Amino acid sequence: MAENEKRKVTFKVHRYNTGGRARERYVQAYELEVAKGQSVLDCLNEIKWKQDGTLTFRRSCKSGICGSCAMTINSVSRLACETQVLLLGSPTITVEPLKGFTVMKDLVVDMDRFMEKLIAVKPYLITKTPTPTDQERFQSPADRAKLDGLYECILCGACTSSCPSFWADEEYLGPHALLKAYRFIADSRDEGRKDHFEALDDKHGLWRCHYIFNCVEACPKSLNPTKAIAALRRELAKERIG
Amino acid sequence: MAATINPETVHDVQGVPVHNVHRHDVVIVGAGLAALRAAVEASTEFDVAVVTKVYPTRSHSGAAQGGIAASLANEEEDHWEWHMFDTVKGSDYLGDQDAIEILVKEAPVVVREFEHMGAPFSRTPDGRIAQRMFGGHTKDFGRGGAVLRACYAADRTGHALLHTLYENCVKNGVRFYSEFYALGLVVRDNVCRGVVAWDIADGGVHVFHSKAVMFGTGGHARVFRIASISLSSTGDGPSMVLKAGLPLEDMEFLQFHPTGLYEHGILVSEAARGEGGYLVNGAGERFMKKYAPEKMELAPRDVTSRAIQKEIDEGRGIDGKDYVYLDLRHLGKEKIMSLLPQIHELAWKFIHVDCVKDPIPIQPTAHYSMGGIPTDNDCRVLADGKKEPVVGFYAAGECACVSVHGANRLGTNSLLEASLFGRRAGKSIVRFLREEPPFPELPADAAAAAIDEVEGILASSGTERAGAIKAEMQARMTTDCAVFRKGSVLEQLLKEVSTLRERYRKVRIDDRARDFNMDLIEALELGRMLDVVEVMVAGAINRAESRGAHSRVDFPKRDDTGWLKHTLVRRKNGKIEFDYRPVVITRFAPKERTY
């Protein structure tokens, strides 16, 4: 298509909003002329700013790094800010909140439980050896490389939202929390394996994952929580054998 | 001294239900690097609450890419004195040298503490924290080449540090009030008594009563159309300070980052040039040789942004358009994917350019606020901008102006400043609280102004859409108050800003619900942005010289006789008033600045 050509796109947004009436779920369609390079977030903003200020969603960095705007776009969990509308190749875009979460309003879901599960795995470096003064702890590039693919998580919720095990068991910690746990277990500096494992060794924890790999597909940062979960199981087995 | 507390009346705030009044030793507004570093520090001894309009890990510090400066000398010889010289020169001699000395001397401690807390820094072959080059950071007081000073975690340094601090706050039991939007400060008789905030999720005004308040509310570059910064960076902190009748400092200085993704403004880290990327114009020439023959692409940001803008303005953009190329192709796929993976991802996702194969279209983008809330070196906010602290009120990071960046900030000095002065703010608060001051009395009408503002917007029958006012403001700021500025254009702009402020009084929102009303939040944010824009434009008119990021085509030279001083600006009875504060010069006398 030509550089400046615009295309008419219909956004079908799943809403949950009082809109002055009793609270109800409904689908509302908005039409927009979309140019090349415009993201789903750009379009939602345009709708909010020009057509309908009641349309509600989270957003912040619009650069794919803060994790605020994860939502379900054409049935897939994605970040709205980095999803280019025309590349979806569809004249109709369906926008829904993240699946499996409690909807608060329109595209906004309750993230508190999600964050509580993260906190449950003690998501911080635990050390027992005193820290060196006037110096960093040393870590070889090879040991540091073990954190690649783990520390980049932006806590957007796309993985957990895509996980059938989570849909079936809302107590399940979820891939985000398990990925974070492994980020510390895998860290050569960490001395708190037992502490991190405490929350994991549970039917709602490490053993709830059935290797469905939806989380891998959903992650906007191309991370692999399933691999991390498999590694955690190996590590936990080692821990038990002692 | 603070009045003694009356436990009978402390929770009696007019118009606010008792369960919405909270009491903590320390209330920190914001959750970026400065705020969370202060929280980590103060929570070791005291009860700390963080009030933040986004979940902490959504804060914009997380978007910083390239690194955090410290003369660790892990990779090659380096000294804090060199770092100090570079920062002073980079600031175009407007930075206060006593504060800069603190910055560069304490930098190694702050970076190593991050490592101790768990930050996943990239490593040298022998296991130390790895360091890379960045613009304006040099060897031997500018006489040598670029120095390896920026400590990094690939090109996700801000993300790595923000998450590390959040994790340590969790460990320390910091109480988070996420998705609470701060509406105003409670300051009476020069004593800060707390903060009033709106609970975004459920709706409703809350009062946070505290002995110490700290602002780490971030920058305000979102007032521009082309900006690297988040949609949430709307100058809330500085606006609340102005409303409390306190001054702001050096608001005319706003940094334009040279390399924003074309039309998106999204940051492409200076690390791309630190690792060897070229800037190329429409004629295929590395044009930086005309502007900074020695440092080339690693000249400081103000110099590089002006060079790019000049090439564009004179028709030498790509195909004569308003962008040039950042070319990384010669670095090769392996180097790009291992050292600059996020840049590769951003260019691909946002403009569909594979930077291994094609150059990236870029243009200058509004990036960083050098000016802000004036503080002393212990982060105490100054009531007169000079000497007199407001009791119990602290600020650090981008919302503050201490001032270490002066007229232009060097890359990687922002993560450093935010964490280092955040830490200092935390220590300063701890010292204050160890003296066991009582809770200051909370006035019964503490929330009155905030309630009026919110209820006024919720009930408004006006005719103006916030979105339309915002779009006009941002467009005008980008055309009229960006890299190059001109007095007559700025005068026109200031008139336009007052018209926009008039229109804002008639703002109406569609959403009248109280729960998760982002229509309301965006209207409130627009009001804050207009407050900031007004003093920024007025300051740009007032400062009749060119220094650092403030470049006046009608006053093209730096004027040390008239303008080697900080601007203090406040609103008094609806009028803007200026005052000044001398620059602290200790080691390096101002010289001509070339690269």
Side-chain angles (χ1 to χ4, degrees), chain A residues 23 49 53 58 60 62 66 81-82 84 105 112 123 135-137 139 144 151 153 155 180 183 189 220-221, chain B residues 55 58 74 115-116 118-121 123 127 129 159 167 179 222 231-232 345 349-350 465 510-511 515 522:
Chain A
R23 181 155 292 222
W49 295 337
R58 288 195 179 98
S60 191
K62 50 101 189 124
C66 80
C81 71
E82 59 175 31
Q84 290 194 28
K105 184 169 173 177
D112 283 349
Q135 207 173 42
E136 61 265 49
R137 282 191 209 84
Q139 183 173 47
R144 168 60 184 78
Y151 83 97
C153 171
L155 300 173
K180 183 66 93 176
R183 176 254 173 274
R189 301 168 295 174
K221 296 283 127 184
Chain B
Y55 276 89
R58 318 283 188 227
N74 279 357
E115 195 285 327
H116 297 160
F121 284 109
R123 300 286 175 154
I129 294 170
H159 167 86
E167 289 153 8
E179 299 189 321
R222 199 22 68 185
L231 296 168
S232 311
E345 180 189 330
K349 282 185 172 161
F350 287 89
R465 289 192 79 90
D510 294 339
D511 196 341
D515 68 307
E522 291 197 7

Short mmCIF file of all heavy atoms in Angstrom, two decimals, chain A residues 23 49 53 58 60 62 66 81-82 84 105 112 123 135-137 139 144 151 153 155 180 183 189 220-221, chain B residues 55 58 74 115-116 118-121 123 127 129 159 167 179 222 231-232 345 349-350 465 510-511 515 522:
data_model
loop_
_atom_site.label_atom_id
_atom_site.label_comp_id
_atom_site.label_asym_id
_atom_site.label_seq_id
_atom_site.Cartn_x
_atom_site.Cartn_y
_atom_site.Cartn_z
N ARG A 23 -24.41 -1.39 35.44
CA ARG A 23 -23.19 -2.00 34.91
C ARG A 23 -23.51 -3.23 34.09
O ARG A 23 -24.24 -4.10 34.51
CB ARG A 23 -22.27 -2.37 36.08
CG ARG A 23 -20.99 -2.98 35.66
CD ARG A 23 -19.95 -2.75 36.71
NE ARG A 23 -19.61 -1.35 36.77
CZ ARG A 23 -18.36 -0.90 36.92
NH1 ARG A 23 -17.36 -1.74 37.01
NH2 ARG A 23 -18.12 0.36 36.99
N TRP A 49 -9.75 10.23 23.05
CA TRP A 49 -9.58 11.68 23.01
C TRP A 49 -10.60 12.38 22.11
O TRP A 49 -10.97 13.51 22.32
CB TRP A 49 -8.15 12.04 22.57
CG TRP A 49 -7.12 11.60 23.56
CD1 TRP A 49 -7.30 11.35 24.89
CD2 TRP A 49 -5.73 11.31 23.33
NE1 TRP A 49 -6.14 10.95 25.49
CE2 TRP A 49 -5.15 10.92 24.56
CE3 TRP A 49 -4.90 11.36 22.19
CZ2 TRP A 49 -3.80 10.56 24.69
CZ3 TRP A 49 -3.56 11.01 22.32
CH2 TRP A 49 -3.02 10.61 23.56
N GLY A 53 -14.73 9.50 25.65
CA GLY A 53 -13.84 9.57 26.80
C GLY A 53 -14.10 8.51 27.86
O GLY A 53 -13.30 8.34 28.77
N ARG A 58 -5.50 0.88 30.55
CA ARG A 58 -4.26 1.36 31.14
C ARG A 58 -3.25 1.61 30.03
O ARG A 58 -3.23 0.91 29.03
CB ARG A 58 -3.68 0.32 32.09
CG ARG A 58 -4.42 0.14 33.39
CD ARG A 58 -3.53 -0.64 34.35
NE ARG A 58 -4.17 -0.84 35.64
CZ ARG A 58 -4.81 -1.96 35.98
NH1 ARG A 58 -4.91 -2.98 35.12
NH2 ARG A 58 -5.36 -2.08 37.17
N SER A 60 1.00 3.56 29.59
CA SER A 60 1.96 4.53 30.09
C SER A 60 3.08 4.79 29.09
O SER A 60 3.07 5.79 28.40
CB SER A 60 2.53 4.13 31.45
OG SER A 60 3.25 5.22 31.97
N LYS A 62 4.12 3.63 26.20
CA LYS A 62 3.86 3.45 24.77
C LYS A 62 5.13 3.04 24.01
O LYS A 62 5.28 3.29 22.84
CB LYS A 62 3.14 4.66 24.12
CG LYS A 62 3.73 6.03 24.38
CD LYS A 62 4.54 6.54 23.22
CE LYS A 62 5.30 7.79 23.58
NZ LYS A 62 6.73 7.71 23.36
N CYS A 66 6.81 -0.82 29.77
CA CYS A 66 6.24 -0.68 31.11
C CYS A 66 5.24 -1.79 31.43
O CYS A 66 4.99 -2.07 32.59
CB CYS A 66 5.59 0.69 31.29
SG CYS A 66 3.95 0.86 30.58
N CYS A 81 0.49 -1.16 22.67
CA CYS A 81 1.36 -0.11 22.15
C CYS A 81 2.29 -0.59 21.06
O CYS A 81 2.76 0.20 20.26
CB CYS A 81 2.15 0.54 23.28
SG CYS A 81 3.43 -0.52 23.98
N GLU A 82 2.60 -1.88 21.06
CA GLU A 82 3.55 -2.34 20.04
C GLU A 82 2.89 -3.24 19.00
O GLU A 82 3.57 -3.89 18.22
CB GLU A 82 4.75 -3.04 20.69
CG GLU A 82 4.38 -4.23 21.54
CD GLU A 82 5.61 -4.97 22.07
OE1 GLU A 82 6.65 -4.34 22.31
OE2 GLU A 82 5.51 -6.20 22.20
N GLN A 84 0.99 -3.15 15.71
CA GLN A 84 0.60 -2.26 14.62
C GLN A 84 -0.68 -2.77 13.98
O GLN A 84 -0.77 -3.94 13.61
CB GLN A 84 1.72 -2.16 13.59
CG GLN A 84 2.90 -1.39 14.14
CD GLN A 84 3.89 -0.99 13.07
OE1 GLN A 84 3.53 -0.81 11.90
NE2 GLN A 84 5.13 -0.83 13.47
N LYS A 105 -13.06 -2.52 34.77
CA LYS A 105 -13.82 -1.62 33.90
C LYS A 105 -13.24 -1.72 32.49
O LYS A 105 -12.01 -1.63 32.32
CB LYS A 105 -13.66 -0.18 34.43
CG LYS A 105 -14.47 0.87 33.69
CD LYS A 105 -14.42 2.17 34.48
CE LYS A 105 -15.05 3.32 33.76
NZ LYS A 105 -15.04 4.53 34.56
N ASP A 112 -3.95 -6.87 41.27
CA ASP A 112 -3.44 -7.04 42.64
C ASP A 112 -3.07 -8.49 42.95
O ASP A 112 -2.01 -8.76 43.51
CB ASP A 112 -4.45 -6.51 43.67
CG ASP A 112 -4.43 -4.98 43.75
OD1 ASP A 112 -3.49 -4.38 43.17
OD2 ASP A 112 -5.33 -4.40 44.36
N PRO A 123 10.63 -12.45 45.52
CA PRO A 123 11.30 -12.07 44.29
C PRO A 123 12.43 -11.07 44.53
O PRO A 123 12.37 -9.92 44.08
CB PRO A 123 10.18 -11.43 43.47
CG PRO A 123 9.32 -10.79 44.51
CD PRO A 123 9.40 -11.67 45.73
N GLN A 135 33.34 -2.93 46.75
CA GLN A 135 33.49 -3.77 45.56
C GLN A 135 32.16 -4.44 45.23
O GLN A 135 31.36 -4.70 46.12
CB GLN A 135 34.52 -4.85 45.82
CG GLN A 135 35.21 -5.34 44.58
CD GLN A 135 36.35 -6.28 44.93
OE1 GLN A 135 36.22 -7.12 45.79
NE2 GLN A 135 37.46 -6.12 44.24
N GLU A 136 31.96 -4.74 43.94
CA GLU A 136 30.80 -5.53 43.57
C GLU A 136 31.11 -7.00 43.85
O GLU A 136 32.26 -7.38 44.00
CB GLU A 136 30.48 -5.36 42.08
CG GLU A 136 31.57 -5.77 41.10
CD GLU A 136 32.44 -4.59 40.67
OE1 GLU A 136 32.89 -3.84 41.56
OE2 GLU A 136 32.67 -4.43 39.46
N ARG A 137 30.03 -7.83 43.91
CA ARG A 137 30.25 -9.27 43.88
C ARG A 137 30.64 -9.63 42.46
O ARG A 137 30.10 -9.08 41.52
CB ARG A 137 28.95 -10.02 44.21
CG ARG A 137 28.61 -10.04 45.65
CD ARG A 137 27.45 -11.04 45.82
NE ARG A 137 26.65 -10.63 46.94
CZ ARG A 137 25.68 -9.73 46.88
NH1 ARG A 137 25.35 -9.19 45.75
NH2 ARG A 137 25.02 -9.40 47.97
N GLN A 139 30.78 -11.95 39.12
CA GLN A 139 29.93 -12.94 38.45
C GLN A 139 30.50 -13.09 37.04
O GLN A 139 30.72 -12.09 36.36
CB GLN A 139 28.48 -12.42 38.38
CG GLN A 139 27.51 -13.40 37.75
CD GLN A 139 26.06 -12.92 37.85
OE1 GLN A 139 25.74 -11.78 37.55
NE2 GLN A 139 25.17 -13.82 38.26
N ARG A 144 26.33 -14.78 34.31
CA ARG A 144 25.39 -13.68 34.04
C ARG A 144 24.47 -14.02 32.87
O ARG A 144 23.28 -13.68 32.88
CB ARG A 144 26.18 -12.40 33.75
CG ARG A 144 25.39 -11.25 33.17
CD ARG A 144 24.26 -10.78 34.07
NE ARG A 144 23.48 -9.74 33.41
CZ ARG A 144 22.58 -9.96 32.47
NH1 ARG A 144 22.29 -11.20 32.08
NH2 ARG A 144 21.94 -8.95 31.91
N TYR A 151 15.43 -11.94 33.32
CA TYR A 151 15.31 -10.65 34.01
C TYR A 151 14.52 -9.61 33.22
O TYR A 151 14.16 -8.57 33.75
CB TYR A 151 16.71 -10.10 34.36
CG TYR A 151 17.39 -9.35 33.22
CD1 TYR A 151 17.33 -7.96 33.14
CD2 TYR A 151 18.08 -10.02 32.22
CE1 TYR A 151 17.93 -7.27 32.10
CE2 TYR A 151 18.69 -9.36 31.19
CZ TYR A 151 18.62 -7.98 31.12
OH TYR A 151 19.21 -7.31 30.08
N CYS A 153 11.49 -9.67 32.10
CA CYS A 153 10.04 -9.70 32.27
C CYS A 153 9.50 -8.34 32.72
O CYS A 153 10.04 -7.72 33.64
CB CYS A 153 9.65 -10.75 33.30
SG CYS A 153 7.91 -10.67 33.75
N LEU A 155 6.22 -7.87 33.58
CA LEU A 155 5.03 -8.09 34.42
C LEU A 155 3.75 -7.55 33.78
O LEU A 155 2.91 -6.94 34.45
CB LEU A 155 5.25 -7.44 35.80
CG LEU A 155 6.44 -7.98 36.60
CD1 LEU A 155 6.65 -7.14 37.86
CD2 LEU A 155 6.22 -9.44 36.97
N LYS A 180 9.99 -15.46 37.49
CA LYS A 180 10.72 -14.59 38.42
C LYS A 180 11.47 -15.42 39.46
O LYS A 180 12.62 -15.13 39.80
CB LYS A 180 9.76 -13.60 39.09
CG LYS A 180 10.40 -12.61 40.02
CD LYS A 180 11.31 -11.63 39.29
CE LYS A 180 10.57 -10.37 38.92
NZ LYS A 180 11.46 -9.36 38.29
N ARG A 183 14.51 -16.64 37.92
CA ARG A 183 15.49 -15.57 37.72
C ARG A 183 16.44 -15.51 38.94
O ARG A 183 17.61 -15.18 38.80
CB ARG A 183 14.78 -14.24 37.47
CG ARG A 183 15.70 -13.02 37.35
CD ARG A 183 15.60 -12.18 38.63
NE ARG A 183 16.57 -11.08 38.64
CZ ARG A 183 17.81 -11.23 39.07
NH1 ARG A 183 18.28 -12.40 39.47
NH2 ARG A 183 18.64 -10.19 39.08
N ARG A 189 24.66 -15.57 42.38
CA ARG A 189 24.88 -14.83 43.63
C ARG A 189 23.87 -15.18 44.72
O ARG A 189 24.03 -14.83 45.87
CB ARG A 189 24.79 -13.31 43.36
CG ARG A 189 25.79 -12.83 42.33
CD ARG A 189 25.46 -11.41 41.90
NE ARG A 189 24.17 -11.32 41.19
CZ ARG A 189 23.60 -10.19 40.81
NH1 ARG A 189 24.17 -9.03 41.07
NH2 ARG A 189 22.45 -10.20 40.17
N PRO A 220 5.34 -10.84 25.08
CA PRO A 220 5.77 -9.82 24.13
C PRO A 220 7.29 -9.61 24.16
O PRO A 220 7.84 -8.97 23.27
CB PRO A 220 5.02 -8.57 24.59
CG PRO A 220 4.70 -8.80 26.01
CD PRO A 220 4.58 -10.29 26.20
N LYS A 221 7.94 -10.13 25.16
CA LYS A 221 9.40 -9.98 25.25
C LYS A 221 10.11 -11.25 24.79
O LYS A 221 11.31 -11.40 25.01
CB LYS A 221 9.80 -9.63 26.69
CG LYS A 221 9.28 -8.30 27.18
CD LYS A 221 10.08 -7.15 26.61
CE LYS A 221 9.17 -6.15 25.93
NZ LYS A 221 9.87 -5.05 25.26
N TYR B 55 1.40 1.17 38.63
CA TYR B 55 2.11 0.15 39.41
C TYR B 55 3.60 0.47 39.35
O TYR B 55 4.10 0.91 38.32
CB TYR B 55 1.83 -1.25 38.84
CG TYR B 55 0.55 -1.84 39.38
CD1 TYR B 55 -0.66 -1.62 38.74
CD2 TYR B 55 0.56 -2.58 40.54
CE1 TYR B 55 -1.84 -2.14 39.25
CE2 TYR B 55 -0.62 -3.11 41.07
CZ TYR B 55 -1.81 -2.89 40.41
OH TYR B 55 -2.98 -3.40 40.93
N ARG B 58 5.85 0.02 36.42
CA ARG B 58 5.47 0.72 35.18
C ARG B 58 6.13 2.09 35.09
O ARG B 58 5.93 2.81 34.12
CB ARG B 58 3.95 0.93 35.11
CG ARG B 58 3.07 -0.22 35.55
CD ARG B 58 2.98 -1.30 34.50
NE ARG B 58 2.00 -2.31 34.83
CZ ARG B 58 2.23 -3.63 34.76
NH1 ARG B 58 3.42 -4.08 34.42
NH2 ARG B 58 1.28 -4.49 35.02
N ASN B 74 36.56 -0.13 35.85
CA ASN B 74 36.61 -1.59 35.69
C ASN B 74 37.22 -1.99 34.36
O ASN B 74 37.75 -3.09 34.21
CB ASN B 74 35.19 -2.18 35.76
CG ASN B 74 34.73 -2.35 37.20
OD1 ASN B 74 35.48 -2.09 38.13
ND2 ASN B 74 33.49 -2.76 37.36
N GLU B 115 24.36 -3.55 42.67
CA GLU B 115 24.83 -4.91 42.43
C GLU B 115 24.55 -5.76 43.66
O GLU B 115 24.03 -6.88 43.56
CB GLU B 115 26.32 -4.90 42.07
CG GLU B 115 26.82 -6.20 41.46
CD GLU B 115 27.00 -7.32 42.47
OE1 GLU B 115 27.36 -7.02 43.64
OE2 GLU B 115 26.75 -8.48 42.12
N HIS B 116 24.84 -5.23 44.83
CA HIS B 116 24.60 -5.99 46.07
C HIS B 116 23.12 -6.32 46.24
O HIS B 116 22.75 -7.35 46.78
CB HIS B 116 25.10 -5.20 47.28
CG HIS B 116 26.59 -4.96 47.26
ND1 HIS B 116 27.20 -3.98 48.00
CD2 HIS B 116 27.59 -5.57 46.56
CE1 HIS B 116 28.50 -4.00 47.77
NE2 HIS B 116 28.76 -4.96 46.90
N GLY B 118 21.18 -6.97 43.89
CA GLY B 118 20.80 -8.02 42.93
C GLY B 118 20.69 -7.60 41.48
O GLY B 118 20.31 -8.41 40.63
N ALA B 119 21.00 -6.35 41.16
CA ALA B 119 20.85 -5.90 39.77
C ALA B 119 21.71 -6.75 38.83
O ALA B 119 22.86 -7.03 39.13
CB ALA B 119 21.25 -4.43 39.65
N PRO B 120 21.12 -7.18 37.71
CA PRO B 120 21.83 -8.05 36.77
C PRO B 120 22.69 -7.28 35.77
O PRO B 120 22.41 -7.25 34.58
CB PRO B 120 20.68 -8.78 36.07
CG PRO B 120 19.56 -7.80 36.08
CD PRO B 120 19.71 -6.99 37.33
N PHE B 121 23.74 -6.63 36.26
CA PHE B 121 24.61 -5.89 35.35
C PHE B 121 25.31 -6.85 34.39
O PHE B 121 25.63 -8.00 34.75
CB PHE B 121 25.71 -5.16 36.15
CG PHE B 121 25.23 -3.92 36.85
CD1 PHE B 121 25.11 -3.89 38.24
CD2 PHE B 121 24.91 -2.78 36.12
CE1 PHE B 121 24.67 -2.74 38.89
CE2 PHE B 121 24.47 -1.63 36.78
CZ PHE B 121 24.35 -1.61 38.16
N ARG B 123 28.70 -8.10 32.53
CA ARG B 123 29.97 -8.29 33.22
C ARG B 123 31.16 -8.25 32.27
O ARG B 123 31.05 -8.62 31.10
CB ARG B 123 29.95 -9.64 33.95
CG ARG B 123 28.85 -9.75 35.00
CD ARG B 123 29.17 -8.95 36.23
NE ARG B 123 28.06 -8.96 37.20
CZ ARG B 123 28.24 -8.79 38.51
NH1 ARG B 123 29.45 -8.58 39.00
NH2 ARG B 123 27.21 -8.78 39.32
N GLY B 127 34.51 -10.72 35.49
CA GLY B 127 33.39 -10.77 36.41
C GLY B 127 32.99 -9.47 37.07
O GLY B 127 32.11 -9.43 37.93
N ILE B 129 31.52 -5.40 36.94
CA ILE B 129 30.45 -4.71 36.21
C ILE B 129 31.03 -4.13 34.92
O ILE B 129 32.05 -3.44 34.95
CB ILE B 129 29.85 -3.58 37.09
CG1 ILE B 129 29.15 -4.19 38.31
CG2 ILE B 129 28.89 -2.72 36.27
CD1 ILE B 129 28.74 -3.15 39.35
N HIS B 159 15.31 -0.73 33.25
CA HIS B 159 14.42 -1.84 33.62
C HIS B 159 15.06 -2.68 34.74
O HIS B 159 14.42 -2.98 35.75
CB HIS B 159 14.16 -2.71 32.38
CG HIS B 159 13.52 -4.03 32.68
ND1 HIS B 159 12.16 -4.18 32.81
CD2 HIS B 159 14.05 -5.25 32.91
CE1 HIS B 159 11.88 -5.45 33.09
NE2 HIS B 159 13.02 -6.12 33.16
N GLU B 167 11.91 -4.88 43.96
CA GLU B 167 12.08 -6.15 44.69
C GLU B 167 12.60 -5.90 46.12
O GLU B 167 12.15 -6.54 47.07
CB GLU B 167 13.06 -7.05 43.91
CG GLU B 167 12.45 -7.59 42.62
CD GLU B 167 13.46 -7.92 41.53
OE1 GLU B 167 14.69 -7.87 41.80
OE2 GLU B 167 13.04 -8.21 40.40
N GLU B 179 -1.79 3.04 41.86
CA GLU B 179 -2.91 3.66 41.16
C GLU B 179 -3.67 4.63 42.08
O GLU B 179 -4.89 4.65 42.16
CB GLU B 179 -3.81 2.60 40.50
CG GLU B 179 -2.98 1.81 39.47
CD GLU B 179 -3.75 0.86 38.58
OE1 GLU B 179 -4.67 0.20 39.06
OE2 GLU B 179 -3.40 0.78 37.38
N ARG B 222 6.34 15.14 28.35
CA ARG B 222 5.12 14.78 27.64
C ARG B 222 4.33 16.01 27.16
O ARG B 222 3.37 15.90 26.40
CB ARG B 222 4.27 13.91 28.57
CG ARG B 222 3.18 13.04 28.02
CD ARG B 222 3.20 12.61 26.61
NE ARG B 222 4.25 11.70 26.21
CZ ARG B 222 4.45 11.31 24.94
NH1 ARG B 222 3.66 11.72 23.97
NH2 ARG B 222 5.44 10.51 24.64
N LEU B 231 3.41 8.47 28.62
CA LEU B 231 2.20 9.30 28.65
C LEU B 231 1.90 9.78 30.07
O LEU B 231 1.13 10.70 30.27
CB LEU B 231 1.01 8.50 28.10
CG LEU B 231 1.13 8.09 26.63
CD1 LEU B 231 0.07 7.05 26.27
CD2 LEU B 231 1.01 9.29 25.70
N SER B 232 2.52 9.12 31.05
CA SER B 232 2.27 9.49 32.45
C SER B 232 3.20 10.59 32.97
O SER B 232 3.02 11.06 34.09
CB SER B 232 2.47 8.27 33.36
OG SER B 232 1.78 7.17 32.85
N GLU B 345 14.65 -4.66 18.65
CA GLU B 345 13.24 -5.00 18.85
C GLU B 345 12.33 -3.79 18.63
O GLU B 345 11.31 -3.87 17.95
CB GLU B 345 13.09 -5.54 20.28
CG GLU B 345 11.68 -5.96 20.65
CD GLU B 345 11.56 -6.27 22.16
OE1 GLU B 345 12.55 -6.71 22.76
OE2 GLU B 345 10.47 -6.04 22.70
N LYS B 349 9.50 -3.49 15.85
CA LYS B 349 8.09 -3.49 16.23
C LYS B 349 7.39 -2.18 15.90
O LYS B 349 6.21 -2.18 15.55
CB LYS B 349 7.94 -3.78 17.72
CG LYS B 349 8.11 -5.26 18.04
CD LYS B 349 7.83 -5.53 19.49
CE LYS B 349 7.82 -7.02 19.78
NZ LYS B 349 8.00 -7.31 21.20
N PHE B 350 8.09 -1.07 16.05
CA PHE B 350 7.39 0.21 15.91
C PHE B 350 7.45 0.80 14.50
O PHE B 350 6.52 1.45 14.07
CB PHE B 350 7.88 1.22 16.94
CG PHE B 350 7.39 0.89 18.32
CD1 PHE B 350 8.11 0.06 19.16
CD2 PHE B 350 6.16 1.35 18.75
CE1 PHE B 350 7.64 -0.28 20.41
CE2 PHE B 350 5.66 1.01 20.00
CZ PHE B 350 6.40 0.19 20.84
N ARG B 465 -13.03 19.65 25.12
CA ARG B 465 -12.48 18.31 25.32
C ARG B 465 -11.01 18.42 25.71
O ARG B 465 -10.24 19.12 25.06
CB ARG B 465 -12.57 17.48 24.04
CG ARG B 465 -13.95 17.07 23.64
CD ARG B 465 -13.85 16.03 22.53
NE ARG B 465 -13.53 14.71 23.07
CZ ARG B 465 -14.45 13.82 23.45
NH1 ARG B 465 -15.73 14.12 23.37
NH2 ARG B 465 -14.10 12.65 23.92
N ASP B 510 -16.33 13.00 29.45
CA ASP B 510 -17.47 12.13 29.11
C ASP B 510 -17.83 11.21 30.27
O ASP B 510 -18.98 10.90 30.49
CB ASP B 510 -17.11 11.25 27.90
CG ASP B 510 -16.92 12.06 26.63
OD1 ASP B 510 -17.43 13.20 26.59
OD2 ASP B 510 -16.26 11.56 25.70
N ASP B 511 -16.78 10.73 30.95
CA ASP B 511 -16.99 9.71 31.97
C ASP B 511 -17.31 10.37 33.31
O ASP B 511 -16.50 11.12 33.85
CB ASP B 511 -15.71 8.85 32.08
CG ASP B 511 -15.95 7.53 32.81
OD1 ASP B 511 -16.96 7.45 33.54
OD2 ASP B 511 -15.13 6.62 32.65
N ASP B 515 -15.29 5.27 39.57
CA ASP B 515 -14.30 4.20 39.55
C ASP B 515 -13.51 4.22 38.25
O ASP B 515 -14.04 4.49 37.18
CB ASP B 515 -15.00 2.85 39.70
CG ASP B 515 -15.86 2.51 38.49
OD1 ASP B 515 -16.70 3.34 38.12
OD2 ASP B 515 -15.64 1.44 37.90
N GLU B 522 -6.84 12.01 33.01
CA GLU B 522 -6.20 12.71 31.88
C GLU B 522 -6.52 14.20 31.90
O GLU B 522 -5.68 15.02 31.53
CB GLU B 522 -6.62 12.07 30.55
CG GLU B 522 -6.03 10.68 30.41
CD GLU B 522 -6.04 10.15 28.97
OE1 GLU B 522 -6.39 10.91 28.05
OE2 GLU B 522 -5.67 8.98 28.79
#
